Amino acid sequence: MLYGAFRLLREIQTGRRLDDLDIESAPALRLRLLDHWDNLDGTVERGYAGPSLWNWAKLPGRIDSRYAAYARADASIGINGAVLNNVNARAESLTDPYLRKTAALADVFRPYGVRVYLSARFSAPMEIGGLPTADPLDPRVRAWWRDKADEIYRLIPDFGGFLVKANSEGQPGPQDYARTHADGANMLADALEPHGGIVIWRAFVYAKDASDDRAKQAYEEFKPLDGRFRRNVMLQVKNGPIDFQPREPFHPLFGAMPKTPLMMEFQITKEYLGFSSHLVYLGPLFEETLRSDTLADGPGSTVARVLEHGPAGPELTGMAGVSNVGADRNWTGSIFDQANWYAFGRLAWDPEASSRDIADDWVRMTFSHAPGFARPVVDMMMGSREAAVDYMTPLGLHHIMARDTHYGPGPWTSGGPRADWTAVYYHRADAQGVGFDRTAGGSNAVAQYAPAAAARFEGLGPGSEKTLLWFHHLPWGHRMASGRTLWDELVVRYFRGVAYVSAMRRTWAGLRAHVDPERHAEVAASLRVQHREAAWWRDACIAYFQTFSRRPMPRGYPEPKHPARFYEERRSPLGADD
Ligand code: BDP
């Protein structure tokens, strides 16, 4: 009834005919979750929409009316679960006062079919339980988690379960006790099982002593554990093997874990895609991953199919999105970022849906049905992600953003605590060429894919150009499908990305008559910023890579205004005069 009501509203709002309404629709995935990276102090990790929506200090006494509005928005696009706290979790969220706050939110969300989940800190039995260990095989630890689960379900009978980031980026986990990820996940699963709860264990791990290639680590850790998890454990895998980059190949665990239910983790908040100041519609990114063919089980074993047909049956299927919601008045930091929340929900319901159709619905419901409006706006949105790839990380480049903030260019980033937190580790530019060799002659990460998929990535033809420098280190003079050299092609792509943003500004300026002045001006201002910053990315990256290639700009393309050093020293976005 709930979803039917919202679907009817959508038909009305998008102006479809209602007289012969006859729609059947059921979600293809059972768990459609938002992961909030919200901290108990009100900050949001990688959040660009203001502080957290959850006012922990005032809960449970004061219930902000926006909690219901949030749950209603989730329900309207089929989202049925929310993990309330950051995966870099604090044990406090499992104490009695915080569980009561969580229960108050659960009460508000329940009528909208949204269950609450919590990120669980693995060492909580020590930090708030007074135990000397968090070893998952220690009977006291097991008993502590069982009691904790009982306590939670007394307050929240439909509690969804735990999300866990363990032994990753300094978080505690079972490996601290020489136990495996399966030992840790199964211990929590046993505690939740009597109540019907589940454990969502994250595959985003990479060891302290980096192996030769960070992209290989999740597979190396988890592939041997396939089939070793309890029946109520899901493994949550990021879309790509590194970390939510503008473009990554699909994660090699998809298709490689036939005995383990896998859940997709997308990032809706745009940590690496210009925060909430760049207009980047993520629908095509999500769609590209979901439609990638793992070829693990013959042609057609797309990532979407892997998610839909998990080994545990329909009950344990799902998709999670790292939320972009905050306390900003527009919820997501910008109006167009609402489309990313929206597209996530629609694709979690139907991973085979078209991101263009979804954008079209969103535009009509958000702005206007006027003829001549939706088409150009949808076109503009559909190309916006490719444009960001072009002006940030074309041709398979990745992880060349500024350190820590992850905002703006930083291809020169080197040194510091770990090589795999730098940019030079990933692009490997030298006088000969650029790119990370992940073929058999290099790290051989490509061997983690099914042979037919690996062969595709190993190819150098036009079909592999999108991930070219992800898998190959190639000479600057390498001949591309376009007939240009790699160096020239790189420059052309950087310019193409900036030109797209300039075209978006023109399109938007021409649509003034269809949008109220406030929203029109807000988007126009933001596009202006994006334009300047796209040029910043372009010029900084070209100037930097030119110090290695030592090649001239292709004919008709101007040199960057400044030498590479200028961009390196100047870490903030460029001003109008730069
Ligand atoms: C990276 C973020 C970091 C997160 C981590 C994760 O930079 O803030 O904690 O992923 O997913 O993207 O655990």
Side-chain angles (χ1 to χ4, degrees):
M1 290 302 293
L2 180 75
Y3 296 133
F6 282 116
R7 181 61 189 268
L8 177 62
L9 287 172
R10 191 211 298 173
E11 297 300 300
I12 295 168
Q13 288 186 312
T14 52
R16 301 214 169 88
R17 287 182 54 151
L18 301 176
D19 45 3
D20 54 357
L21 203 63
D22 182 12
I23 297 170
E24 257 183 60
S25 178
L29 302 176
R30 199 57 61 93
L31 302 167
R32 304 177 298 278
L33 310 187
L34 286 186
D35 290 355
H36 293 266
W37 285 359
D38 294 22
N39 298 315
L40 302 184
D41 66 2
T43 57
V44 180
E45 179 150 343
R46 311 300 178 187
Y48 316 108
S52 172
L53 200 54
W54 326 133
N55 195 331
W56 293 108
K58 291 188 173 156
L59 280 164
R62 184 157 177 276
I63 303 294
D64 193 308
S65 65
R66 301 187 74 189
Y67 301 152
Y70 159 82
R72 191 171 63 225
D74 274 353
S76 76
I77 50 176
I79 289 169
N80 64 1
V83 184
L84 298 179
N85 59 327
N86 193 354
V87 286
N88 297 319
R90 299 272 309 254
E92 281 75 4
S93 65
L94 297 173
T95 57
D96 174 71
Y98 275 94
L99 290 175
R100 288 178 192 279
K101 296 168 193 280
T102 294
L105 287 172
D107 290 343
V108 179
F109 297 173
R110 192 166 293 113
Y112 299 100
V114 178
R115 288 186 181 205
V116 300
Y117 297 68
L118 289 172
S119 292
R121 183 161 163 92
F122 202 78
S123 50
M126 298 164 75
E127 287 156 12
I128 57 170
L131 294 181
T133 174
D135 181 349
L137 300 191
D138 187 303
R140 292 164 300 174
V141 174
R142 302 177 70 84
W144 187 86
W145 282 108
R146 265 198 313 275
D147 291 347
K148 187 48 72 181
D150 295 346
E151 181 188 345
I152 294 173
Y153 280 91
R154 271 196 301 277
L155 292 165
I156 312 165
D158 54 357
F159 179 70
F162 293 137
L163 172 65
V164 187
K165 171 175 179 177
N167 293 119
S168 170
E169 301 186 328
Q171 294 300 315
Q175 293 178 338
D176 303 345
Y177 308 95
R179 312 297 185 196
T180 67
H181 282 287
D183 293 330
N186 292 344
M187 181 262 302
L188 294 174
D190 289 342
L192 294 169
E193 199 273 334
H195 307 282
I198 62 162
V199 172
I200 303 170
W201 197 266
R202 295 178 85 225
F204 180 71
V205 301
Y206 53 105
K208 256 210 213 95
D209 350 285
S211 85
D212 61 332
D213 182 358
R214 175 171 154 195
K216 296 198 304 198
Q217 293 199 31
Y219 181 101
E220 284 171 349
E221 292 266 5
F222 286 97
K223 173 74 181 158
L225 298 177
D226 191 24
R228 304 256 311 269
F229 294 98
R230 294 283 193 271
R231 293 169 60 92
N232 55 336
V233 176
M234 295 193 77
L235 191 62
Q236 183 166 298
V237 182
K238 288 188 180 182
N239 57 288
I242 297 287
D243 194 14
F244 302 134
Q245 294 297 294
R247 169 166 282 125
E248 299 198 20
F250 69 87
H251 200 297
L253 280 172
F254 292 113
M257 300 287 280
K259 297 184 194 139
T260 308
L262 299 185
M263 183 151 166
M264 171 63 77
E265 179 174 323
F266 282 126
Q267 193 180 45
I268 310 172
T269 188
K270 303 203 313 297
E271 174 179 356
Y272 298 101
L273 287 125
F275 296 3
S276 54
S277 31
H278 292 202
L279 192 165
V280 179
Y281 172 53
L282 297 175
L285 186 162
F286 300 157
E287 182 178 313
E288 177 177 293
T289 309
L290 293 166
R291 294 191 180 190
S292 293
D293 200 340
T294 69
L295 295 165
D297 211 4
S301 338
T302 60
V303 171
R305 291 284 158 87
V306 170
L307 298 175
E308 288 166 15
H309 304 287
E315 283 303 320
L316 283 194
T317 57
M319 190 188 291
V322 179
S323 167
N324 63 350
V325 169
D328 269 9
R329 191 172 175 211
N330 62 21
W331 295 99
T332 53
S334 85
I335 293 159
F336 273 88
D337 274 304
Q338 294 174 359
N340 292 328
W341 182 8
Y342 182 80
F344 169 79
R346 292 279 303 269
L347 284 164
W349 182 280
D350 177 8
E352 296 180 49
S354 133
S355 62
R356 171 175 282 277
D357 293 348
I358 293 170
D360 190 71
D361 283 348
W362 180 80
V363 168
R364 288 171 197 280
M365 290 191 285
T366 303
F367 292 110
S368 164
H369 290 276
F373 179 78
R375 186 62 194 268
V377 178
V378 171
D379 284 348
M380 164 177 116
M381 290 168 72
M382 288 305 292
S384 61
R385 181 276 186 136
E386 199 62 43
V389 169
D390 280 344
Y391 67 71
M392 292 178 172
T393 53
L395 298 174
L397 286 173
H398 50 290
H399 209 286
I400 58 170
M401 68 290 161
R403 203 196 282 278
D404 300 331
T405 63
H406 300 171
Y407 196 77
W412 44 77
T413 307
S414 65
R418 337 179 22 135
D420 56 6
W421 282 353
T422 68
V424 296
Y425 174 90
Y426 294 97
H427 64 65
R428 307 199 170 199
D430 55 26
Q432 278 71 49
V434 62
F436 197 132
D437 184 359
R438 294 191 165 108
T439 67
S443 81
N444 205 22
V446 74
Q448 294 182 338
Y449 293 95
R456 224 176 33 204
F457 289 134
E458 276 172 325
L460 295 173
S464 330
E465 285 192 352
K466 287 184 169 171
T467 51
L468 196 66
L469 303 176
W470 186 285
F471 288 106
H472 301 276
H473 185 83
L474 293 171
W476 295 107
H478 170 79
R479 216 28 89 181
M480 303 290 293
S482 61
R484 296 188 191 101
T485 62
L486 170 61
W487 164 253
D488 284 0
E489 186 68 34
L490 203 62
V491 172
V492 168
R493 301 276 176 127
Y494 270 113
F495 273 84
R496 190 173 80 179
V498 179
Y500 193 91
V501 181
S502 156
M504 290 204 288
R505 289 182 68 187
R506 281 196 302 279
T507 303
W508 188 251
L511 295 168
R512 185 171 287 125
H514 298 293
V515 184
D516 55 275
E518 188 181 336
R519 286 192 298 174
H520 191 273
E522 188 184 315
V523 173
S526 179
L527 285 170
R528 201 156 50 236
V529 169
Q530 182 177 4
H531 194 186
R532 193 191 306 144
E533 294 182 356
W536 172 36
W537 265 96
R538 176 195 64 196
D539 296 343
C541 291
I542 290 177
Y544 172 78
F545 286 123
Q546 204 174 22
T547 64
F548 298 96
S549 81
R550 304 255 166 230
R551 289 179 176 243
M553 297 294 279
R555 191 199 297 274
Y557 289 83
E559 296 277 347
K561 261 200 207 161
H562 305 283
R565 276 206 84 69
F566 171 90
Y567 299 102
E568 187 173 342
E569 280 159 12
R570 184 70 174 272
R571 295 190 175 211
S572 55
L574 299 187
D577 303 334
D578 298 310

